[in-house]
Amino acid sequence: MNENPEIGQSVQAAGLATNFLEQGKGQPVLMIHGSGPGVTGYANWRLTMPALAENHRVIAPDIPGFGYTERPVDGKYGLDFWTHHMVSFLDALGIEKTHLVGNSFGGALSLALAARHPDRVDKLVLMGAVGTNFDLTWGLDQVWGYTPSMENMRRLIGIFAYNSALVTDDLVNSRYQASMRPGFQESYARLFPEPRQKQISGLATSEADIAKIPHPTLIVHGRDDKVIPLSNSVKLNHLIRQSELHIFGECGHWTQIEKKDRFNRLIGDFLAS
């Protein structure tokens, strides 16, 4: 029996053995993680999945290039590839339509899925989302340019979180060890190389296509986010007709951790409404 909570089931999607976690029953909710070093579906959504699983079938995959999903031999990544992989993943699980919850990088992928495959999406939740063009922030440059060391990981967690009390030795060490797992950093270094402004553009869906998104959308952002600017979410709120925006004060990029209980209630109420 596998004792690592980050490793769940596996299914072939777009030719890759794709690791995913699943909890609950009911209407599907696909949760797409962000792009921090050593990230997995579990690391990103471990505090959210149990709450949503009370009423939904909650699924959190590791996106190729991250976690325990097989990496493509050619190492070629990009929005087209990731979108194709997610559609193939849904097909493999027999899911015709799902709610989407996307965090940061996962928000960009969620926007692309909603714009390109609107029939596969029900409601959309975007949290600190990438997916539009913006000037590279110092925080995002630090995240995507991470090289493994305890000092660098401590600095990164301090960038992610508004509340400095979250930056504990245990958390720093666990996230550092995660970033050092075999193959993780080698893959991570290829995902968002310099010039990183180009990588932001590569994850963007055009404003014209975003404006056509027909789905009810909840947009969530930490007011004090140093990684993805709040202006991104304000822009998305203006572009997406059926959208609402919730801004958490005294909150950084880790909304699902820093405002865990309120975040979970907010998402649950929105999906149930």
Side-chain angles (χ1 to χ4, degrees), residues 124-140:
L124 184 61
V125 179
L126 304 171
M127 189 188 96
V130 189
T132 66
N133 278 302
F134 61 94
D135 290 337
L136 176 68
T137 64
W138 174 82
L140 183 58

Side-chain angles (χ1 to χ4, degrees), residues 185-196:
Q185 179 60 23
E186 292 83 354
S187 175
Y188 188 73
R190 292 197 297 269
L191 291 173
F192 307 106
E194 293 182 325
R196 296 195 177 95

Side-chain angles (χ1 to χ4, degrees), residues 3-17:
E3 296 181 354
N4 184 344
E6 297 182 301
I7 299 176
Q9 304 176 63
S10 182
V11 69
Q12 286 288 321
L16 300 176

Side-chain angles (χ1 to χ4, degrees), residues 47-210:
L47 303 180
T48 306
M49 291 186 72
L52 295 185
E54 292 178 6
N55 297 297
H56 297 88
R57 177 189 179 190
V58 185
I59 301 160
D62 289 350
I63 305 304
F66 302 92
Y68 293 92
T69 287
E70 184 181 359
R71 292 157 173 77
V73 175
D74 60 11
K76 291 182 179 178
Y77 302 99
L79 192 59
D80 291 344
F81 166 76
W82 282 314
T83 304
H84 168 66
H85 175 263
M86 277 293 91
V87 172
S88 179
F89 177 71
L90 291 175
D91 289 344
L93 294 185
I95 296 174
E96 295 184 4
K97 198 169 191 177
T98 181
H99 297 311
L100 285 180
V101 181
N103 170 31
S104 194
F105 157 81
L109 183 46
S110 296
L111 279 168
L113 281 165
R116 300 179 188 190
H117 303 277
D119 57 319
R120 306 300 297 267
V121 179
D122 194 343
K123 291 182 179 179
L124 184 61
V125 179
L126 304 171
M127 189 188 96
V130 189
T132 66
N133 278 302
F134 61 94
D135 290 337
L136 176 68
T137 64
W138 174 82
L140 183 58
D141 193 39
Q142 295 298 302
V143 173
W144 283 354
Y146 168 83
T147 54
S149 75
M150 288 284 285
E151 180 182 350
N152 287 344
M153 183 56 74
R154 185 178 299 277
R155 182 172 66 251
L156 273 198
I157 293 175
I159 292 170
F160 279 125
Y162 174 85
N163 183 359
S164 60
L166 290 174
V167 189
T168 64
D169 290 343
D170 285 347
L171 179 59
V172 171
N173 183 60
S174 67
R175 298 316 307 154
Y176 166 69
Q177 295 299 333
S179 74
M180 286 292 291
R181 289 173 184 144
F184 275 40
Q185 179 60 23
E186 292 83 354
S187 175
Y188 188 73
R190 292 197 297 269
L191 291 173
F192 307 106
E194 293 182 325
R196 296 195 177 95
Q197 188 66 51
K198 182 179 179 181
Q199 308 308 322
I200 292 174
S201 298
L203 290 173
T205 295
S206 74
E207 292 189 10
D209 287 340
I210 292 174

